[in-house]
Amino acid sequence: MDECIRKYDLKGNILQTIHLKEKVNGYRYSFLCLNDSLFVMSQNNEGNNPNELFFINGKGSIIERKANINQFQASEKSYFNNMDWRRSLFRGQNGCYYHRDYSDTLWKVHDDMTLQALLVENKIKKVPLEQRTEYSGKPMSDYITLH
């Protein structure tokens, strides 16, 4: 089956179909339109998938990938957890955001395909900032924090 992105009007009519030029293996978890010609898609972390975010232009080409920095060895057994199907990519009052599963960091997604760590949950039993895979070298005071 052809993978594509479709734009619809508010009445459900198809305005545009963009055929993806490259197949993305694995389970695509969430999808967001950043602007009229740039889309971002997140991939559920299945352990060894090399990428977690894909930026797709209006012609259907993947123009940027963000590496999966939280790879792990998946169990041979299948486990199913109760999921509420929350969105890892979403639009908020001041832009577009990304939140990885099992992460304390909320990222702002910019139109130039960069991610900015915006909010860090900092609880006593959580992993210290300096030991997190998303650590950038900035002091904790540069982030908005929840305690």
Side-chain angles (χ1 to χ4, degrees):
M1 181 175 192
D2 181 34
E3 293 188 9
C4 62
I5 296 170
R6 288 205 171 104
K7 290 183 183 180
Y8 295 88
D9 65 15
L10 295 175
K11 295 180 182 179
N13 301 310
I14 297 173
L15 298 175
Q16 182 182 9
T17 300
I18 301 168
H19 298 278
L20 299 183
K21 301 193 183 313
E22 191 176 333
K23 184 172 173 55
V24 176
N25 293 323
Y27 179 70
R28 272 84 61 203
Y29 191 54
S30 196
F31 178 83
L32 188 67
C33 180
L34 289 177
N35 58 42
D36 288 343
S37 61
L38 183 62
F39 308 91
V40 62
M41 178 175 58
S42 68
Q43 187 171 25
N44 194 32
N45 190 356
E46 297 166 349
N48 60 358
N49 47 303
N51 300 298
E52 64 178 327
L53 287 178
F54 300 86
F55 290 86
I56 303 163
N57 67 13
K59 296 179 181 178
S61 297
I62 296 173
I63 55 174
E64 177 75 26
R65 291 174 171 82
K66 296 295 182 189
N68 176 9
I69 59 174
N70 293 315
Q71 291 189 19
F72 60 90
Q73 181 63 43
S75 169
E76 293 182 22
K77 297 179 181 179
S78 295
Y79 294 98
F80 294 95
N81 296 320
N82 185 14
M83 296 181 67
D84 59 2
W85 295 101
R86 62 177 181 73
R87 296 179 57 88
S88 59
L89 288 163
F90 57 93
R91 186 173 306 281
Q93 190 173 16
N94 296 313
C96 299
Y97 303 95
Y98 174 57
H99 184 266
R100 291 182 186 107
D101 283 332
Y102 313 110
S103 175
D104 295 334
T105 305
L106 176 68
W107 301 86
K108 185 165 186 175
V109 183
H110 295 280
D111 284 352
D112 64 358
M113 298 175 286
T114 58
L115 301 177
Q116 172 192 2
L118 186 63
L119 184 127
V120 176
E121 184 179 17
N122 188 28
K123 293 187 176 178
I124 295 171
K125 295 183 180 180
K126 300 290 182 172
V127 177
L129 179 66
E130 295 79 15
Q131 296 175 11
R132 298 178 190 196
T133 54
E134 65 264 34
Y135 180 57
S136 66
K138 294 181 186 178
M140 183 60 100
S141 59
D142 284 5
Y143 301 99
I144 300 168
T145 59
L146 296 177
H147 297 280

